[in-house]
Amino acid sequence: MCGSFCRYIGCSIFRSHIRASKTFRVQTSAARKARLNIFVIDPFWLEGSPYMPRAILHIGMNKTGSTSIQHSLTGYDDGVSRYARLSAPNHSQPLSTIFMERPENSVNWKRIGAPSEKIRAARNKFRDQLDAELSHDRRTFILSAEELCMLDHREVENLKAYFEARDIAVEVIAYVREPIGFASSALQQRIKSGLAKFGVAQPHYRFRFESYLDVFGRSGVRFLPFSRADFDQGSVVRDFARRLNLDLGSIKERTANESIAAPLVAILFFWNQHPASIVNSQDTVVARRLLIRELSPHFDGKFRLSDAIIRRKLDEEDIRWMEQESGIRLMPDAAPVEGEGVSGEADLEVLTAQTVPILSQMLRDKGLVVPPDGDPLKMMTRLYRMFLRQRAEH
């Protein structure tokens, strides 16, 4: 308690010194001419010191438990460290809207087809929220937004300039996932979001991280291996909290954006090709989410791609770059096992057949008519439209 209080007081005192430093230098110019030995605080001298406020910028990468970290830290504030409150636990939309030169190209805005005037208003609102958050007297501000991996070099420079103008040091943190596990998890996530084309998702390490290394330098970016087997209790939330010296007793861990079973991934993939599944508004986004949430408990069986098909598609040069920059071993040594996991659409068709009895029963339970031909895509559409109607009524 005493340590936290002292760090808090120190942060407050030195932050006020930092903000006053330019004025103080002017006021002491005459004294310097008189050769008085007066120490003048320069804000940039304090970067990385225990007294300069810092922003922890957690930028993912995708599929490394970011959503669980975000939901678990929501509301966290121990007087020293504070998780920023920016409209939602995931800061991706607020921060990408602020710092992208063309925020209308961000995934969140494109999905709902937001008009430009709405995006401009949101940018002003989000910037005001961020300014207000950073005005608190705290040693550490925590921001978590995996979509910031999509910023280009100039946008990352603008981000850095924003924090420098407020005399806040930035430390970038990113968990790095090996490409085999990433490919299966990322494809599943993209199918959940509406993807209708089968393919092996690439991690694109260099695209995600090179701009941050160029702008913040190697010492300003910390890469961490994403390995549940090596985390305390298998929890990335606990690992993240321990690294930032957060009070684990004050954190209620929440798992979020959990994986879905292979048959559900399969039926969603084919349903995504159906016109009724198109996501073009906030209502359709929510209805789709409700549909998946309703179906998820009724299926089991882990979804994974065949190791062989992943390895044939990997960008080895990109992986070597990431290994060199991070010092993290990413490629497993074991040879690929043929025949295990999903290799293409034919395998997904086999899995889709398993969904028919479950979908039929769900329709009956909800008082909906089961199509005579037992077409699972028609069943999905009827369930989806039910949730869409419920959304419209609210």
Side-chain angles (χ1 to χ4, degrees):
M1 179 70 181
C2 179
S4 296
F5 178 75
C6 291
R7 290 198 303 274
Y8 170 74
I9 294 299
C11 171
S12 178
I13 292 172
F14 273 80
R15 192 170 189 176
S16 63
H17 275 254
I18 289 167
R19 287 173 171 169
S21 61
K22 292 181 181 178
T23 302
F24 187 62
R25 282 196 295 272
V26 172
Q27 292 173 342
T28 56
S29 59
R32 282 199 296 274
K33 288 179 181 178
R35 296 184 181 182
L36 295 177
N37 186 19
I38 296 177
F39 174 70
V40 180
I41 297 174
D42 187 308
F44 298 105
W45 296 352
L46 290 177
E47 183 161 345
S49 81
Y51 304 110
M52 186 176 189
R54 63 172 182 166
I56 299 295
L57 197 61
H58 170 232
I59 61 170
M61 54 184 285
N62 299 71
K63 311 315 300 176
T64 58
S66 298
T67 306
S68 294
I69 290 173
Q70 291 155 0
H71 284 265
S72 298
L73 292 187
T74 297
Y76 184 89
D77 186 351
D78 63 10
V80 177
S81 299
R82 177 182 174 90
Y83 189 76
R85 300 171 188 183
L86 303 176
S87 297
N90 186 342
H91 301 149
S92 287
Q93 186 173 31
L95 295 184
S96 63
T97 302
I98 293 170
F99 295 111
M100 287 181 72
E101 293 187 346
R102 295 181 61 84
E104 64 271 17
N105 292 332
S106 75
V107 174
N108 290 296
W109 291 120
K110 287 176 73 173
R111 287 188 73 192
I112 64 173
S116 57
E117 57 270 19
K118 181 176 181 178
I119 298 173
R120 284 195 297 271
R123 170 178 265 176
N124 293 333
K125 181 187 78 171
F126 292 149
R127 186 179 289 273
D128 288 345
Q129 287 179 346
L130 182 58
D131 289 342
E133 279 298 302
L134 299 179
S135 70
H136 289 88
D137 280 321
R138 298 293 183 272
R139 165 69 179 98
T140 300
F141 301 98
I142 304 168
L143 299 152
S144 179
E146 60 270 35
E147 196 174 334
L148 288 184
C149 283
M150 301 297 107
L151 297 189
D152 63 26
H153 189 279
R154 182 172 171 177
E155 291 164 343
V156 176
E157 286 183 327
N158 291 340
L159 181 151
K160 183 182 181 183
Y162 170 88
F163 286 97
E164 281 185 344
R166 290 154 179 79
D167 301 318
I168 298 174
V170 175
E171 298 177 21
V172 180
I173 292 180
Y175 283 94
V176 181
R177 186 166 184 172
E178 49 80 20
I180 302 293
F182 173 83
S184 294
S185 186
L187 178 60
Q188 177 191 138
Q189 182 62 43
R190 293 175 188 182
I191 290 172
K192 285 170 66 177
S193 300
L195 181 74
K197 184 178 180 180
F198 186 87
V200 175
Q202 300 287 342
H204 297 300
Y205 298 117
R206 193 165 193 163
F207 172 79
R208 294 173 188 273
F209 300 127
E210 188 169 40
S211 292
Y212 284 90
L213 289 169
D214 290 343
V215 172
F216 289 99
R218 185 63 192 85
S219 62
V221 181
R222 188 169 14 155
F223 293 117
L224 305 172
F226 180 77
S227 174
R228 294 192 187 278
D230 296 325
F231 295 154
D232 178 24
Q233 300 181 28
S235 167
V236 68
V237 174
R238 294 180 68 84
D239 185 76
F240 186 78
R242 287 184 184 280
R243 291 179 185 275
L244 298 189
N245 198 29
L246 305 182
D247 179 13
L248 284 167
S250 300
I251 297 172
K252 183 177 180 181
E253 187 168 350
R254 298 177 175 90
T255 56
N257 199 20
E258 292 292 280
S259 60
I260 58 176
L264 182 51
V265 173
I267 187 60
L268 281 171
F269 174 78
F270 291 111
W271 186 64
N272 289 343
Q273 301 168 25
H274 194 284
S277 72
I278 294 174
V279 174
N280 55 13
S281 68
Q282 188 62 36
D283 284 345
T284 57
V285 169
V286 173
R288 183 183 183 90
R289 189 180 301 139
L290 292 172
L291 173 65
I292 294 171
R293 186 184 302 165
E294 182 78 17
L295 292 171
S296 188
H298 300 279
F299 296 97
D300 53 32
K302 183 178 176 64
F303 174 80
R304 61 180 295 273
L305 289 170
S306 159
D307 279 12
I309 192 173
I310 296 174
R311 288 173 185 266
R312 284 198 293 269
K313 301 289 186 178
L314 288 181
D315 183 344
E316 294 185 3
E317 182 179 347
D318 185 51
I319 295 168
R320 283 195 296 270
W321 178 88
M322 188 73 256
E323 289 183 330
Q324 181 177 350
E325 293 294 337
S326 67
I328 300 170
R329 175 71 173 160
L330 295 172
M331 283 297 291
D333 296 324
V337 180
E338 296 286 351
E340 290 192 4
V342 172
S343 296
E345 293 189 24
D347 293 332
L348 293 177
E349 288 178 356
V350 173
L351 289 166
T352 297
Q354 300 176 22
T355 67
V356 173
I358 292 173
L359 291 171
S360 299
Q361 187 59 51
M362 187 170 290
L363 284 168
R364 295 188 193 97
D365 292 344
K366 296 188 177 297
L368 301 173
V369 177
V370 178
D373 59 2
D375 184 345
L377 300 182
K378 292 178 182 177
M379 297 188 215
M380 289 285 288
T381 299
R382 293 183 184 188
L383 288 167
Y384 170 73
R385 286 176 175 164
M386 178 193 71
F387 287 115
L388 199 55
R389 286 194 301 271
Q390 292 176 358
R391 170 70 178 175
E393 291 169 359
H394 289 83

